[in-house]
Amino acid sequence: MMVFILVMSLHGLQSMITELLPEFSVGGLGVSIGPFWFVAMSVVLLFRSFWACLAIPVGGIVFGEILIGDFSALGAVEGLLVITASWFFAMSLITDPTDPKQIAGVGLLAKAMEETAAWFIDVGKFYIGVEELEAISWLPATVWATEGVGALIQIVVAGIVFGAIPTLFLYPRLRGKIEPLLGMRSVEGRDGSTVTSSSLKRLVAWVAILPLAFGAEALSETSGGIITFTPEFVETYGQTFLFVPIVVAAVIAFGLVAYRQRKVEGTGA
């Protein structure tokens, strides 16, 4: 639970900070800088648990949707399923948690899997007519290239530039320092092949989840979110309202670390 709360709040914090940064255009495609994926890559892969993976999308939902007043239950399902499954599979490939290159590579793979899944889902919505995407009217197949280029740019920008590269420097500085604050030991490596039977099962689960994520996303476009919370605080109060989830996430994250550190020191653990 401590790991879940820490990852959720840290991911929510950096996600909202990047919301304050402007988008830029590459070849006419809008590209957002964030989230700063090196935070998730570095912290989640320190603990390598299912709950750490689940905390990534939950952090985005709580701090990036609910607290800013723009939440749709069905709309949140895609990220909840795809992001969790992508990270859960990727982390199963780690054999040496002391190797920053392996950690960065696994983090990049998780981001690439997420963007690839989103690419298929977005194109699928175009073909069933629930969303209009950029495509040449007489050649609908161009939507594959348009959306694919967007996914590739996000992999490069978020997965490499603001993901794998900073992780190479941040991860080794966090390993062995964050875990004791939560009263935990660093995860050890393992012998054997990178791909195991457990990894294959997780990959099969990732593939099986895609239709579920697509169905939920398509329903959210046609029937609404079923459960919605849309007071739209940012539209009402302006961009400065983004500091509310930023402050809340920061208080939770750093308050949790301080609390656990005092408790661990008090018990002599």
Side-chain angles (χ1 to χ4, degrees), residues 73-86 113-114 116-125 128 130-131 205-221:
L74 274 178
V77 170
E78 178 192 347
L80 197 66
L81 294 176
V82 170
I83 295 175
T84 302
S86 298
M113 291 177 70
E114 176 198 338
T116 300
W119 174 28
F120 287 130
I121 290 171
D122 287 343
V123 171
K125 289 191 296 181
I128 67 173
V130 299
E131 184 172 322
W206 181 82
V207 174
I209 277 172
L210 294 186
L212 297 176
F214 171 73
E217 186 65 15
L219 281 175
S220 72
E221 298 285 347

Side-chain angles (χ1 to χ4, degrees), residues 48 94-103 171-172 175 186-189:
R48 292 163 54 190
I94 298 174
T95 58
D96 182 7
T98 65
D99 182 4
K101 293 181 181 178
Q102 187 176 122
I103 295 296
Y171 177 82
R175 179 173 166 79
S186 299
V187 177
E188 300 297 331

Side-chain angles (χ1 to χ4, degrees), residues 173-195:
R173 289 163 175 77
L174 294 180
R175 179 173 166 79
K177 300 179 178 66
I178 298 296
E179 303 95 310
L181 295 180
L182 299 183
M184 303 173 64
R185 295 180 179 178
S186 299
V187 177
E188 300 297 331
R190 62 175 174 82
D191 297 324
S193 173
T194 299
V195 179

Side-chain angles (χ1 to χ4, degrees), residues 22-88:
E23 279 195 353
F24 62 93
S25 179
V26 177
L29 296 173
V31 179
S32 58
I33 292 177
F36 290 139
W37 276 101
F38 65 89
V39 176
M41 289 183 187
S42 299
V43 179
V44 171
L45 297 177
L46 284 175
F47 302 101
R48 292 163 54 190
S49 70
F50 170 80
W51 298 107
C53 298
L54 180 63
I56 299 176
V58 171
I61 292 169
V62 172
F63 298 100
E65 295 181 17
I66 295 176
L67 287 185
I68 66 172
D70 186 18
F71 171 73
S72 164
L74 274 178
V77 170
E78 178 192 347
L80 197 66
L81 294 176
V82 170
I83 295 175
T84 302
S86 298
W87 281 91
F88 196 50

Side-chain angles (χ1 to χ4, degrees), residues 74-239:
L74 274 178
V77 170
E78 178 192 347
L80 197 66
L81 294 176
V82 170
I83 295 175
T84 302
S86 298
W87 281 91
F88 196 50
F89 163 72
M91 69 169 48
S92 70
L93 304 178
I94 298 174
T95 58
D96 182 7
T98 65
D99 182 4
K101 293 181 181 178
Q102 187 176 122
I103 295 296
V106 165
L108 174 58
L109 174 62
K111 181 59 180 174
M113 291 177 70
E114 176 198 338
E115 291 296 335
T116 300
W119 174 28
F120 287 130
I121 290 171
D122 287 343
V123 171
K125 289 191 296 181
F126 168 79
Y127 276 104
I128 67 173
V130 299
E131 184 172 322
E132 294 184 3
L133 302 174
E134 293 184 15
I136 300 175
S137 59
W138 51 267
L139 188 59
T142 57
V143 72
W144 283 97
T146 303
E147 293 300 307
V149 169
L152 179 60
I153 291 174
Q154 283 300 120
I155 292 172
V156 172
V157 175
I160 299 178
V161 178
F162 294 101
I165 293 176
T167 297
L168 289 172
F169 300 94
L170 180 62
Y171 177 82
R173 289 163 175 77
L174 294 180
R175 179 173 166 79
K177 300 179 178 66
I178 298 296
E179 303 95 310
L181 295 180
L182 299 183
M184 303 173 64
R185 295 180 179 178
S186 299
V187 177
E188 300 297 331
R190 62 175 174 82
D191 297 324
S193 173
T194 299
V195 179
T196 63
S197 59
S198 176
S199 301
L200 293 177
K201 290 177 182 177
R202 295 183 189 190
L203 181 59
V204 170
W206 181 82
V207 174
I209 277 172
L210 294 186
L212 297 176
F214 171 73
E217 186 65 15
L219 281 175
S220 72
E221 298 285 347
T222 57
S223 60
I226 299 182
I227 299 175
T228 60
F229 177 67
T230 56
E232 298 182 342
F233 296 129
V234 175
E235 286 75 8
T236 303
Y237 302 106
Q239 287 290 100

